[in-house]
Amino acid sequence: MNLNSIGKNIRKYRISKGLRQEDIAERANLSTNYIGMIERGEKTPSLETFINIVNAIGVSSDVILSDVLKNGYVIKDSLLGEKLSKLSIEDRNKIYDVIDTMMKHSKLKRI
């Protein structure tokens, strides 16, 4: 199991919310250095610390864990759908065309 993705996702969502490591550290009652080590994949937080961090960022834990959960693609699909909904219909159709082309060339056989 690649737990490094947890730290990468923490960093990604922290930045997307416009938060600094210092902000998260203060809100979660942790050191900035520890937040940095988690984001770099050097440390794996305990469950309690993980909960404090995701609460400090203001995201759902399943989003942070999406790369390590077996149903993570359901979460990623939901996030992708959210991103696509913000695009114009023209841009969405272009993206769907690319996806359709990729699926046609995929090695998997479809029904």
Side-chain angles (χ1 to χ4, degrees), residues 36-92:
M37 288 188 285
I38 292 170
E39 289 185 357
R40 290 188 300 276
E42 296 169 4
K43 296 280 185 181
T44 302
S46 68
L47 179 59
E48 182 179 352
T49 299
F50 176 75
I51 292 168
N52 289 338
I53 291 170
V54 295
N55 283 336
I57 296 171
V59 296
S60 174
S61 61
D62 58 344
V63 171
I64 300 295
L65 296 172
S66 66
D67 295 327
V68 294
L69 295 175
K70 288 186 180 184
N71 65 345
Y73 282 104
V74 173
I75 298 162
K76 287 182 179 186
D77 289 346
S78 175
L79 293 171
L80 179 60
E82 191 177 305
K83 289 177 183 178
L84 288 171
S85 71
K86 296 176 184 176
L87 298 175
S88 69
I89 291 173
E90 181 180 292
D91 286 341
R92 268 187 266 166

